[in-house]
Each structure stands twice: as C-alpha cells, then as structure tokens.
Amino acid sequence: LLSRGLGDVYKRQILATPMMMFQFVSTSIDGFSVALAVLALSCYTKIVLESYQTPSRSVVGLVCTLLITLLVVLTSRPYMLPMLLLLFHVAYLRKSWVYLTVSIAGLLSVCFWVVFATSQVVDARVDVGESKFKIVTYYLSHPSVAFDLAWHTIESKWLFYRNSFIGVLGWLDTNFRGGFYSISSCLILLILFTSISYRSLKNYPLARLSLVFGGLSSIILIFVALLLNWSEHPAKIISGVQGRYFTIPILMIGATISFRVMPARTKRFIVPLSLLLVWIVYAATSTIRLLLERYWLH
C-alpha cells in the first residue's frame, strides 16, 4: 500500500547500488536508517496525494508512522533535520492544529536530542583545534571563506563522492575497476530521466518544493557537520564526507517524481524498467566479482 506512493523506478535504482546492498547486509545503521527514510517518504507521498484526492481513513496512522520513522531517522542522522518540513507540510494540508503541535513537538525533541548528544559525546579521533561555537562564528563572519572552502572541497572531491555513492566497499579500500562508475552513472541518469512524468511536474508544487529544499538543505548540513566535527580548523578542505551520506537526501529529492495526477500506464515504464534490469544485473555481477577478488581466501 505504501510503496505506491514511492513506487517509482528511481527508488529501486538507488537502493540497488553496490554501496547500499553492501550496507544492507552489513552491521551498519545505514541500511536501517535508509529503509525508515523510504517508509517516511512513502507515507508522506500517500498523505499528499490523498489530501488532494479522496481523504483517507488511515491518515492518522500514516501521520503517526511518518512521525515515528522521522524521529528515528533524525536522531540517528541529525543532518536530515530538514525532513521535518514534511510534517509541517502535512499539518498545513490537513489544516490541523493537532498535527502542527505534533510537528513542533517533534522538532523540539530532535533539536534537544542533537544538542544533548553533541555536548556529551567525546570523539578523540580528530582534534579540530577550536570549539564548535568559535568555528561557526568564524565562518559566519567570513562567508566568502566558507564559500571558497565548499567550492574547493566539491571541486577536488566530486569524483570520490560519485564513486562512494555508487560503491566503494570495505573500509573505502575496495574500488570497482574499469569504467564501472562511468557506466553506472549513465545508467542511473537514464533510468531517472525516463521514469519522470514530465506532464505531472506542475502539480503539487509545494510538496515538491518541500522535498527539494529539504534534500538540498540536508546535503549542506552534511558538509557543515563534517566541517565542525572532522576537519582541523582552519580547514583547507572539508574532510570525512562520503558519497553514501547523500543517499537519503537524493531519495528525498527524487521523491518529487512520485506525484502523479493519473496512474502511470504500464507501457510508460517499459524503458526505465528494462534499463533498471540491465543496471541490477550489471551491478550485481560486478559486485560479486569484486568481492571474490578482494576477500576470497586462497
């Protein structure tokens, strides 16, 4: 029932990347948090669609599920704090003071937890050299320095971000060979563009804007978090950012193509589904071969 809201091909292609498959079968919180984020986005999409169509009797259950999953995701992935915009948009759609109160309570709870956890956790792996307050004050008073730092980081690291999003396995020491990353990038973009319903893009503008703004804001928060916690001040580059951190924000932005006025025809998905099958087979066979070469004990 919920998957209809986020049942687009783009979700399957992101979840089928070697990096995500590796996370799903490993003892990592990534797989759990991504799965919950997909559930939250599915609930949100269904609530938005039914708010403009037939009101659902299960909307209370959907909102509760959305709230619970968001709280779990945000407390484990604080950089996804902008996802709370979805709760406020639901409150606006339903014209409900109860939902607005719940949204505010959720925001305050998450903020309290993040502040408390940040103040209590001591990470001795990296000495940034200054307090977080002084670092924030420095970059707020020198915005051009912050912009140059961000630009230099992305310019020098974008290939690593792309590769580690698709799949750099192990302890970031197991790379695919040949043109795997270039071919995978082309297939992912082809699947995305062929699965978009361009005629429906003008519908649900506020929902799409909330998802795009939330996803982009989360990506910015990733760099901010690593600048404060993992980069020696004054930083020449923002250290510690990995491509897999962008999975939930990209799923969030990609959810904008889930809103359709009319159900999509089966023929509409022949091309993207065919490309998706090619991508899954290609990624799976390449991953198996790489893991055997890297970890097989002779």
Side-chain angles (χ1 to χ4, degrees):
L1 179 66
L2 295 178
S3 65
R4 293 178 182 177
L6 197 61
D8 300 279
V9 181
Y10 88 93
K11 177 192 69 173
R12 299 184 178 94
Q13 67 167 348
I14 298 301
L15 299 181
T17 59
M19 178 56 77
M20 280 314 307
M21 297 302 296
F22 193 79
Q23 294 297 325
F24 283 138
V25 299
S26 64
T27 54
S28 169
I29 198 175
D30 287 66
F32 182 66
S33 60
V34 169
L36 286 177
V38 171
L39 176 59
L41 291 171
S42 299
C43 291
Y44 172 71
T45 305
K46 188 170 179 61
I47 291 169
V48 171
L49 290 173
E50 294 193 350
S51 295
Y52 286 95
Q53 299 169 8
T54 303
S56 173
R57 296 179 181 178
S58 61
V59 68
V60 176
L62 288 171
V63 173
C64 291
T65 305
L66 175 61
L67 173 64
I68 294 170
T69 52
L70 281 181
L71 290 179
V72 176
V73 171
L74 299 181
T75 49
S76 61
R77 290 290 180 265
Y79 58 81
M80 291 308 303
L81 186 65
M83 281 190 82
L84 282 173
L85 281 173
L86 307 186
L87 279 176
F88 285 94
H89 185 220
V90 169
Y92 171 77
L93 287 175
R94 310 302 299 187
K95 302 295 188 294
S96 171
W97 285 101
V98 175
Y99 291 163
L100 179 60
T101 303
V102 169
S103 302
I104 295 174
L107 174 61
L108 293 177
S109 301
V110 172
C111 290
F112 170 78
W113 171 254
V114 171
V115 172
F116 174 77
T118 303
S119 64
Q120 297 299 312
V121 173
V122 177
D123 191 344
R125 291 175 295 176
V126 176
D127 182 13
V128 296
E130 287 286 356
S131 66
K132 295 179 178 61
F133 177 76
K134 289 184 178 180
I135 296 175
V136 170
T137 303
Y138 172 77
Y139 286 110
L140 287 178
S141 59
H142 300 83
S144 60
V145 176
F147 179 80
D148 290 340
L149 175 61
W151 177 261
H152 177 64
T153 300
I154 295 173
E155 185 181 34
S156 59
K157 290 284 190 177
W158 73 270
L159 270 178
F160 171 73
Y161 297 154
R162 182 201 66 174
N163 295 351
S164 56
F165 173 78
I166 295 172
V168 178
L169 310 182
W171 294 97
L172 295 179
D173 60 353
T174 307
N175 292 273
F176 288 88
R177 297 179 178 83
F180 176 82
Y181 296 108
S182 298
I183 295 173
S184 297
S185 300
C186 292
L187 284 173
I188 289 174
L189 291 175
L190 281 174
I191 293 169
L192 174 63
F193 289 127
T194 55
S195 62
I196 295 176
S197 178
Y198 294 96
R199 296 175 61 183
S200 299
L201 288 180
K202 62 181 180 181
N203 302 297
Y204 312 105
L206 191 55
R208 298 181 197 274
L209 181 62
S210 299
L211 289 166
V212 172
F213 179 79
L216 293 177
S217 300
S218 299
I219 291 175
I220 293 174
L221 285 181
I222 291 173
F223 287 94
V224 172
L226 272 299
L227 175 62
L228 296 178
N229 297 283
W230 206 258
S231 305
E232 185 177 355
H233 184 74
K236 296 181 179 179
I237 196 170
I238 302 175
S239 305
V241 180
Q242 300 178 30
R244 63 187 175 90
Y245 298 160
F246 303 133
T247 300
I248 298 179
I250 288 176
L251 283 171
M252 191 174 179
I253 296 172
T256 56
I257 68 176
S258 297
F259 302 107
R260 291 189 174 88
V261 178
M262 297 295 292
R265 298 178 180 178
T266 305
K267 294 181 180 179
R268 174 77 174 71
F269 285 96
I270 291 179
V271 173
L273 284 175
S274 300
L275 290 171
L276 177 64
L277 179 61
V278 172
W279 155 240
I280 291 176
V281 172
Y282 176 63
T285 53
S286 300
T287 302
I288 293 172
R289 182 169 60 251
L290 177 66
L291 292 177
L292 286 175
E293 292 175 356
R294 176 65 176 81
Y295 295 108
W296 182 258
L297 300 178
H298 295 281

